[in-house]
Amino acid sequence: MTDHPEADRSSWPVVLLRAADAGPTYLSWTWLDAPAKPSAVKLDPAQTSAALDLLGRALLAPRPLDASGSNGSSDDVEYESREAAAHRALATGSFTNLAEERLLSARLTEAVLPETLRAEIVDRAGSHGTVHMRITPSPTLARVPWELLFVDAGRRLLDVAVITFDPPSTVHAERTVLPPQWAEVSHFPALHVLDPSLPVRAVEHGLGRTLGGLAKNALIKGISAEANVGNNSSHTRLNTSQIISRLDLSHQLHVPRSRLFYFGHVSSAADEPGSASIHLHDTVGAAGSASWGMAEPLRPQTKRGTLAAARPDDHLPLSALDLLLGTQQCTDERVWALHGSDGPQAGHEIWPMPSRVALIACEGGVDFRSAETFGLVVAMVDSGASLVTTTRWTLPTDHAFHSLAGVRRSVFPTVELALAVDRAHSRDDPIGLVHQWQREQLTKWESSPAAVEHSPIVWAALTHTVAEARVPRGAQIRSRGAERSRVHGGEQLPR
């Protein structure tokens, strides 16, 4: 593929690919250079299911064990342990060797990328060098690594296309905060929240450290080096392995920011999109305290299988519903006061999002796996983000690579991904830079098939959800970023 400067991208052919689950999964696509000629197909359910099952076996998410002894209820299905799932994915899975990965990608290609569309992509790429695919996946297809799919025998989509996700169009209807242009806010500092300390009882729910000693040092060193480029060290604040609560995050986000970078835990409950959460150092709090949150506290199960009564030290996640609704359903004046208000506030008033957000965590993009497309990505977009880069599946830790895949302890594949995203988000063309880095990883993977550190299980997990402002700023609430672009050093500049 020929690299193009940013100025040339307006000439790239753009295809809008939309998926919908209605029993079978349906795909429709429209080329913006031929809007009067849309196409649509119904995917073969058996073929799609088989290919996605093969993908599931390659990933770290625990899979159901043999449930033949259960009574048929989904509640009785047992799952493999996280340790067993990690061993399966990193020791024997399809992403551990090139031949198996190519077979998986070929099966996915035949199942979800129609031959007609492949031919159209090849044709336009031949004329223009690069195609832009804008995808809104259905829940069934939310974890498909589109970049790995083949357009012909020798080339992947990654070789001829830049791929981004479009949120549902409803996101743009009466959007709460319109994001600014990057040029208006790029000079503001970034906020990094890196593997923040969690309450003690969170560990009981599998929320341990995401960074070991050497990996943490590598990430901090890499981010610090990037911050010092061009003497911009003052533009980055590191909250590394520190205690940071939702209130601390609110205070930090009220400082004018160009971007937010979070490396830590994300979790969600099945079929509850609003439960998607990041994890900070928040607890339920003692009776009569001013603790507040819309997520269900993490509580252990009793011997009867029910949830134990809440305790003050139970961990309280910061959920997508919190980021959207804030304290609007809270009647406690003490909670309002903690957030500097004498009344309830919406989420964007408490946690205003900068123009760019990176969530390097487990399935940060779970939004698209729900029938109701809502989660952290959509909540952050509604609160002011125009780009959210995150992952479509659970990432292995670097410790897992070392202990299960035999990767040298001086190599940190997941940290390398985090640093690639961090570098890209600080530049004018983040999607293009991540795309270039992914192509480099693909080249290394295909030329050294035994080098698991270059496995697509890491770099093919990335997604970019793009939601730039679609209407004139005067038509809705003035962009917070545009207001902040007039602020420097805490003083208001003349309009």
Side-chain angles (χ1 to χ4, degrees):
M1 183 180 91
T2 302
D3 288 321
H4 295 263
E6 174 73 13
D8 290 341
R9 294 193 175 183
S10 61
S11 64
W12 288 3
V14 178
V15 60
L16 307 182
L17 181 65
R18 304 293 185 251
D21 296 334
T25 297
Y26 295 81
L27 283 185
S28 65
W29 67 93
T30 304
W31 291 93
L32 295 190
D33 58 9
K37 298 179 180 179
S39 302
V41 298
K42 181 179 75 172
L43 302 183
D44 179 84
Q47 187 179 37
T48 302
S49 178
L52 293 177
D53 183 70
L54 191 62
L55 173 63
R57 294 178 184 277
L59 301 177
L60 276 80
R63 293 181 58 79
L65 299 173
D66 182 7
S68 59
S70 72
N71 62 12
S73 169
S74 59
D75 294 336
D76 296 318
V77 176
E78 294 187 13
Y79 286 80
E80 61 185 335
S81 67
R82 296 185 184 185
E83 294 75 14
H87 183 271
R88 168 180 47 74
L90 292 176
T92 63
S94 294
F95 284 132
T96 62
N97 70 85
L98 179 62
E100 290 296 321
E101 180 272 313
R102 287 180 64 89
L103 176 61
L104 166 62
S105 297
R107 293 277 298 275
L108 287 168
T109 299
E110 292 299 320
V112 307
L113 191 63
E115 186 175 358
T116 301
L117 178 55
R118 280 179 262 160
E120 293 171 357
I121 291 171
V122 168
D123 178 64
R124 282 170 169 81
S127 302
H128 297 83
T130 308
V131 166
H132 182 188
M133 290 189 70
R134 292 169 46 187
I135 302 174
T136 302
S138 67
T140 295
L141 304 185
R143 292 198 301 183
V144 170
W146 299 92
E147 291 81 358
L148 295 178
L149 306 191
F150 291 96
V151 292
D152 54 34
R155 291 183 297 175
R156 318 261 192 152
L157 268 176
L158 186 63
D159 294 317
V160 297
V162 170
I163 299 169
T164 60
F165 278 10
D166 283 354
S169 57
T170 51
V171 165
H172 296 278
E174 299 185 7
R175 189 171 175 182
T176 302
V177 180
L178 292 182
Q181 295 294 318
W182 174 246
E184 297 175 341
V185 297
S186 60
H187 61 288
F188 290 137
L191 173 62
H192 292 77
V193 180
L194 308 178
D195 193 22
S197 175
L198 301 183
V200 173
R201 283 175 64 83
V203 178
E204 299 174 6
H205 299 270
L207 300 177
R209 309 303 312 200
T210 58
L211 288 168
L214 293 177
K216 181 178 75 173
N217 292 340
L219 182 60
I220 295 172
K221 182 178 179 180
I223 287 177
S224 299
E226 176 62 27
N228 284 316
V229 173
N231 295 318
N232 287 326
S233 59
S234 64
H235 283 188
T236 301
R237 177 182 177 87
L238 300 179
N239 293 99
T240 310
S241 298
Q242 298 172 348
I243 293 177
I244 176 171
S245 68
R246 65 189 62 208
L247 188 60
D248 297 324
L249 180 63
S250 175
H251 291 160
Q252 292 297 336
L253 289 175
H254 276 87
V255 175
R257 299 287 181 188
S258 58
R259 58 192 182 92
L260 168 64
F261 182 94
Y262 173 85
F263 187 108
H265 285 288
V266 166
S267 65
S268 65
D271 301 320
E272 295 181 20
S275 70
S277 304
I278 63 174
H279 294 270
L280 304 174
H281 206 285
D282 293 304
T283 58
V284 172
S289 72
S291 178
W292 165 258
M294 298 193 68
E296 178 70 25
L298 298 187
R299 295 178 284 161
Q301 285 191 340
T302 66
K303 293 180 179 180
R304 296 181 178 180
T306 60
L307 291 176
R311 289 175 32 172
D313 55 350
D314 283 337
H315 175 45
L316 184 64
L318 179 61
S319 70
L321 281 176
D322 289 313
L323 296 179
L324 181 70
L325 299 178
T327 57
Q328 291 182 94
Q329 297 187 20
C330 176
T331 59
D332 191 334
E333 295 181 359
R334 294 168 303 171
V335 174
W336 304 343
L338 278 177
H339 292 289
S341 174
D342 57 3
Q345 295 175 286
H348 73 274
E349 297 175 292
I350 300 175
W351 298 283
M353 287 297 145
S355 176
R356 294 177 180 175
V357 177
L359 293 173
I360 308 303
C362 295
E363 289 188 295
V366 73
D367 304 55
F368 294 100
R369 293 190 66 188
S370 303
E372 176 189 355
T373 308
F374 175 71
L376 291 170
V377 172
V378 171
M380 290 174 168
V381 164
D382 187 69
S383 293
S386 62
L387 168 64
V388 181
T389 298
T390 186
T391 57
R392 53 169 62 99
W393 59 59
T394 300
L395 292 177
T397 63
D398 289 308
H399 174 73
F401 271 110
H402 299 156
S403 60
L404 299 176
V407 172
R408 299 191 311 278
R409 294 188 178 275
S410 59
V411 175
F412 309 101
T414 301
V415 164
E416 183 179 352
L417 172 139
L419 292 175
V421 173
D422 183 61
R423 286 192 299 269
H425 269 224
S426 69
R427 305 297 201 273
D428 289 338
D429 181 21
I431 295 172
L433 288 176
V434 171
H435 178 256
Q436 179 181 348
W437 176 78
Q438 288 178 308
R439 289 180 60 206
E440 293 169 356
Q441 294 300 307
L442 175 60
T443 298
K444 292 175 181 178
W445 172 242
E446 292 185 328
S447 60
S448 303
V452 182
E453 60 265 32
H454 301 301
S455 168
I457 200 170
V458 174
W459 55 263
L462 288 174
T463 67
H464 306 287
T465 300
V466 178
E468 297 175 344
R470 287 189 178 181
V471 300
R473 294 204 174 106
Q476 290 191 8
I477 299 174
R478 183 186 295 273
S479 164
R480 184 190 73 258
E483 283 292 299
R484 288 182 173 180
S485 68
R486 302 188 184 97
V487 179
H488 180 72
E491 298 180 359
Q492 189 77 16
L493 300 183
R495 296 182 180 233

